[in-house]
Amino acid sequence: MIGTAVIGGMLGSVMWANVWFVIWPNQQRVLGLVEADDARKASSARTALVASRTNTLLSLPMLYAMTTYQTLGS
């Protein structure tokens, strides 16, 4: 059976990848750090918003899994 620390670590890894490979590249386009036309900026803004909200939703289960492991053991 998978321990809660593994689940928390997996959620944390998904959140990390989400930031570095989805949110940050799209934010660079929106902020003008990378060249993009207006349509691409609008699309990137929406993508970054959805990915950021996904990370927000995953943060509570991740923290719960990691603190449960810390408190109750595996």
Side-chain angles (χ1 to χ4, degrees):
M1 182 161 179
I2 297 176
T4 56
V6 173
I7 293 171
M10 287 172 34
L11 288 172
S13 296
V14 167
M15 291 170 63
W16 172 83
N18 203 9
V19 168
W20 283 104
F21 300 119
V22 179
I23 297 171
W24 179 236
N26 284 294
Q27 282 293 339
Q28 287 178 330
R29 285 187 211 99
V30 171
L31 294 172
L33 301 175
V34 174
E35 287 293 320
D37 60 354
D38 290 338
R40 179 77 169 152
K41 284 183 182 181
S43 172
S44 293
R46 177 70 180 156
T47 302
L49 175 71
V50 170
S52 181
R53 286 186 178 171
T54 301
N55 270 11
T56 301
L57 289 173
L58 290 177
S59 64
L60 287 176
M62 180 203 62
L63 289 172
Y64 176 77
M66 293 181 130
T67 56
T68 299
Y69 176 78
Q70 188 70 22
T71 305
L72 302 176
S74 62

